[in-house]
Amino acid sequence: MTGTLKVEIWRGAEEGHFEAFEVPTQPSQTVLDLVTYVQRKLDPSLAYRFACRVGVCGSCAMMVNGTPRWTCRTHVNKVAAEGKVRIAPLRNLPVIKDLATDMAPFFDRMQEAKGRFVPSEAAAKDVAVVPPDDPKRKEAAAGIECIGCAVCHSACDVVAWRPDYLGPAALNRAWTLVNDVRDGDRQGHLAAVAVDAGCHACHSHQSCAEHCPVGLNPSRSIAGLKQLVLWAAVRGEL
Amino acid sequence: MKRLELWLYIAQRGSALVLAPLVLLHLGVILYAVSGGLTAAEILGRTRSSALWPAMYALFAVAAAVHGAIGLRVVIREWTAWQGRSLDLSTLAFALLLLLLGLRAVQVIA
C-alpha cells in the first residue's frame, strides 16, 4: 500500500473545524500513526493524547469516521472509507484542544457511582477466599477488565441526552464491586446507582457493548444493577 | 419524592407486566369475537354478562395510563430541554386524562 491518504482532523475546542492533511500511507498503519505523522511532520501545534500505543492504557481513544475507537488498535485499511479518514475528539466530553478531551466528567461519574472498593472488616483481617467458579466472582470477572478509556461513555446515547447520567463505565465498575465478596458496603454501592440519573436511565441500546475495545458488556452489568436495585427498593432497603 | 426515577421505573415495568398479557388477550378476543361477524349490541351483551370484562378493561386502562405517561415523560426529558416540576405535573395530568378517557369507555361496556 503506497500513496497518500486524506486525513481530516478536528481543530479547535467546542467550536472548530476539520482540517485536511495528506498523509503517506504505510503497511499496517494505525489511525494513531496518522495523527502522530501529522503532529510530527505537518503541524506541531496539533494536540492529542496517547501513551502506550499498544492498547493497554486507553488514552488514545478518538472518534474515527464517527465511531469511538482506540486509535492505536485501529488499522487504517479497516476504516479508510473511500480513501478518507475523519478523526474527531471523543463524543460526550468537553474538548480541550483538537483531539484532546477533558476526561474529568468521565472520572467524576466513577466517584458519583461510588466506584471504589470499601474493604469489609473480615476482608481486612484475613485473606478472602474467592473460588473462581463462584457465581458472583464470575459476574465481577466479566466486567473487571475495564481500563477507563471512555469509549463506552462516548458511544452512549443516554449520556448524550442526559449529561448527568452515570454512564456505562461507572455503572459497570459499581457492578463489579457489588459482586465483590470482600467489599463491605453493598448497600452503599446500590444506593449510589439508584439515583435519578443512575442505572435505571439506561435504555439498553448496547452501544457500550458494541464499541468496548476490550469486549466487555456494560449493558449486562447495568441490567444486573437494575434488578438488584429494584428488589432492594421494594424491600425498603434503599 | 425520594428516588422518584426509580419508583417511576418500577411502576413502568410493573404496568408493562400487566399490559403485555392484557393486550394479547384483548387482540385474541377481538379476533375470536368478530370472526363470525358481530354487532355492537352483541358485544355489549357479552361484556355486560360478567363483571370480569369491565374489571379487566379497567385494569387495562389504569396500566395504560401509568405506562404511557411515564414513557412520555422520559421521551420528553431526553429529546427536549423541558424537564423539572412543570414536566412532572404535565405528564401526571396526561396520565389522569388517559385514565379518565379509559374508565369512561369501561363504564359504557359495564
Side-chain angles (χ1 to χ4, degrees):
Chain A
M1 190 166 80
T2 51
T4 61
L5 186 72
K6 188 180 175 194
V7 181
E8 294 180 340
I9 296 179
W10 181 258
R11 304 307 304 270
E14 296 298 334
E15 297 292 318
H17 63 280
F18 283 96
E19 188 177 350
F21 299 92
E22 290 285 330
V23 180
T25 51
Q26 304 277 342
S28 300
Q29 197 170 23
T30 66
V31 174
L32 183 62
D33 293 335
L34 298 176
V35 178
T36 299
Y37 182 91
V38 171
Q39 199 268 337
R40 294 199 179 160
K41 308 274 188 186
L42 305 178
D43 186 348
S45 72
L46 176 67
Y48 69 115
R49 196 183 281 129
F50 76 99
C52 75
R53 298 172 293 121
V54 288
V56 173
C57 73
S59 60
C60 71
M62 301 168 199
M63 303 298 289
V64 181
N65 286 346
T67 301
R69 291 174 176 281
W70 288 349
T71 53
C72 71
R73 294 297 296 268
T74 303
H75 278 110
V76 171
N77 57 14
K78 291 261 169 65
V79 292
E82 296 151 12
K84 200 171 82 174
V85 177
R86 176 172 266 210
I87 308 167
L90 273 184
R91 191 172 80 123
N92 294 341
L93 288 166
V95 182
I96 299 171
K97 181 178 184 290
D98 303 337
L99 300 172
T101 51
D102 180 3
M103 300 285 282
F106 173 72
F107 293 115
D108 288 347
R109 298 291 170 274
M110 290 266 188
Q111 290 299 326
E112 287 166 27
K114 205 172 192 306
R116 54 190 180 279
F117 178 66
V118 181
S120 64
E121 209 182 315
K125 280 184 182 155
D126 203 358
V127 177
V129 178
V130 186
D133 56 351
D134 178 76
K136 287 176 82 178
R137 170 62 213 180
K138 283 183 175 171
E139 289 290 354
I144 204 74
E145 296 294 340
C146 172
I147 62 169
C149 67
V151 160
C152 58
H153 192 83
S154 181
C156 178
D157 282 335
V158 181
V159 173
W161 294 327
R162 298 189 59 176
D164 56 341
Y165 172 49
L166 292 173
L171 291 169
N172 179 71
R173 172 70 185 146
W175 174 245
T176 62
L177 292 168
V178 162
N179 283 292
D180 189 334
V181 291
R182 303 165 306 152
D183 193 283
D185 193 14
R186 187 181 163 91
Q187 289 308 330
H189 291 301
L190 290 182
V193 300
V195 294
D196 276 0
C199 59
H200 298 97
C202 167
H203 286 307
S204 308
H205 288 164
Q206 305 188 50
S207 294
C208 50
E210 175 72 21
H211 292 97
C212 176
V214 198
L216 304 185
N217 188 348
S219 287
R220 189 174 183 277
S221 305
I222 297 169
L225 284 177
K226 283 176 177 173
Q227 226 173 57
L228 288 183
V229 167
L230 189 152
W231 290 116
V234 170
R235 284 195 297 262
E237 293 168 1
L238 285 176
Chain B
M1 181 183 165
K2 202 181 164 216
R3 303 209 185 279
L4 174 67
E5 301 295 324
L6 172 59
W7 287 109
L8 287 179
Y9 171 90
I10 292 172
Q12 204 193 19
R13 269 34 177 210
S15 56
L17 270 179
V18 174
L19 277 174
L22 290 183
V23 167
L24 292 176
L25 184 66
H26 175 62
L27 292 175
V29 168
I30 290 175
L31 290 175
Y32 169 75
V34 302
S35 59
L38 206 62
T39 64
E42 281 173 312
I43 293 174
L44 284 179
R46 289 182 186 198
T47 59
R48 283 170 181 164
S49 67
S50 161
L52 270 180
W53 289 112
M56 182 197 110
Y57 278 106
L59 184 64
F60 203 142
V62 172
V66 169
H67 191 80
I70 296 173
L72 181 67
R73 177 177 172 276
V74 171
V75 172
I76 292 174
R77 271 189 79 161
E78 290 180 353
W79 287 65
T80 74
W82 187 15
Q83 50 181 297
R85 180 65 47 183
S86 67
L87 174 63
D88 293 349
L89 293 176
S90 301
T91 44
L92 179 62
F94 179 71
L96 294 175
L97 178 70
L98 282 184
L99 188 65
L100 184 75
L101 294 173
L103 292 181
R104 262 191 68 197
V106 172
Q107 199 185 11
V108 174
I109 63 156

